[in-house]
Amino acid sequence: MAKVYLATDIGPRRELNEDIVADLGHETYVVADGMGGYAAGEVASRILAATIRDALAAESSFDEAVLKQAILRANDAILQTVRENPRYSGMGTTATIFHREGGEIVWAHVGDSRLYLLRNQTLSQISRDHSLVSDLVANGSITQEEARSHPKRNVITRAVGVETELDVDTGAFSTADGDILLLCTDGLTSVVPDEEICSMILASPEGEDVAKRLVRRAIEVGSHDNISAIVVKFDE
Ligand code: CA
């Protein structure tokens, strides 16, 4: 079994919370960060979570292909909603999911929300950001530090519900005793550095809602965005 903490907050400056966090059952979790005008981002992230929930309900075991297929179904469902409601044109959402199957984690990902693994007191980002600044860091044009304040840091290069063709990243790894997984949106990671996220999780006392604490920290240090986090602590 695992201890699971989920938190999401509209943040101090937004009129809507377009993020969604969900425990889909069967040790499967999702975060999504919707975008688009006229409340469309909220619609996109909610269609995504509902579609993935339905897709997975029909499955008995979840491998990378199954998670990828669930995201592709959500892609079709969002595009279909836009065809029926042109006012939602331009909406889309990030999607980052993981599932624990025995001693293995499988994950699937699109966009700039993140999956992290905290193991041996080290926080590692497992998912790769599909964002303009991530590409610029990768090709050496800017540093990681410059990326944090780059004027185009919000531009993502892949989202669910925007085009009929969608590349979904997937992966799998074995779990170890004491592993902690974090799923979060950029409302957290754009203002709270990885080192601080890591030390906050490690310092969190038994039973504290550490997801809520991370979200509160993002607000304290001035996040203008919606902020979401899911922390899953596997039993030692
Ligand atoms: Ca966001």
Side-chain angles (χ1 to χ4, degrees):
M1 285 308 291
K3 288 195 189 67
V4 184
Y5 302 96
L6 300 89
T8 185
D9 196 283
I10 192 169
R13 300 281 184 89
R14 297 287 177 92
E15 288 175 7
L16 291 168
N17 190 350
E18 299 184 317
D19 283 0
I20 197 162
V21 295
D23 176 347
L24 301 174
H26 310 286
E27 296 200 68
T28 308
Y29 306 91
V30 60
V31 296
D33 178 350
M35 65 210 74
Y38 306 103
E42 196 183 6
V43 174
S45 58
R46 275 147 190 78
I47 292 172
L48 176 104
T51 308
I52 291 175
R53 189 186 294 273
D54 288 353
L56 296 183
E59 302 286 341
S60 52
S61 75
F62 309 151
D63 57 12
E64 290 175 55
V66 165
L67 296 188
K68 176 179 172 172
Q69 215 47 47
I71 290 183
L72 291 176
R73 257 176 73 175
N75 192 56
D76 292 343
I78 295 168
L79 286 168
Q80 181 62 30
T81 303
V82 172
R83 276 193 288 274
E84 290 162 3
N85 306 275
R87 71 198 165 103
Y88 290 148
S89 175
M91 75 174 171
T93 182
T94 70
T96 308
I97 329 175
F98 79 82
H99 165 72
R100 183 164 76 151
E101 185 87 43
E104 181 140 308
I105 300 293
V106 288
W107 58 269
H109 162 76
V110 173
D112 69 349
S113 302
R114 291 181 179 173
L115 169 64
Y116 287 92
L117 167 65
L118 203 168
R119 175 181 288 173
N120 298 332
Q121 316 221 329
T122 305
L123 187 71
S124 315
Q125 186 179 339
I126 304 291
S127 56
R128 184 173 62 88
D129 294 353
H130 302 135
S131 67
L132 182 69
V133 291
S134 167
D135 292 349
L136 293 174
V137 170
N139 71 23
S141 304
I142 61 170
T143 64
Q144 195 69 254
E145 195 46 47
E146 286 166 337
R148 297 172 63 82
S149 56
H150 196 281
K152 291 192 173 163
R153 62 187 177 278
N154 292 326
V155 176
I156 63 172
T157 51
R158 262 193 240 176
V160 184
V162 177
E163 290 174 348
T164 50
E165 295 291 316
L166 176 65
D167 276 339
V168 179
D169 290 353
T170 63
F173 57 92
S174 298
T175 50
D177 284 351
D179 276 355
I180 299 174
L181 292 183
L182 167 67
L183 281 176
C184 58
T185 58
D186 68 335
L188 175 68
T189 52
S190 61
V191 294
V192 184
D194 285 11
E195 309 77 65
E196 186 176 350
I197 291 173
C198 182
S199 48
M200 282 178 66
I201 296 174
L202 290 173
S204 176
E206 178 88 35
E208 180 192 54
D209 187 335
V210 63
K212 199 171 271 178
R213 189 162 139 72
L214 290 169
V215 167
R216 271 209 312 270
R217 181 65 186 152
I219 294 169
E220 273 167 27
V221 297
S223 184
H224 293 173
D225 202 355
N226 306 143
I227 309 136
S228 302
I230 302 178
V231 177
V232 182
K233 295 182 169 181
F234 295 111
D235 277 357
E236 309 245 348

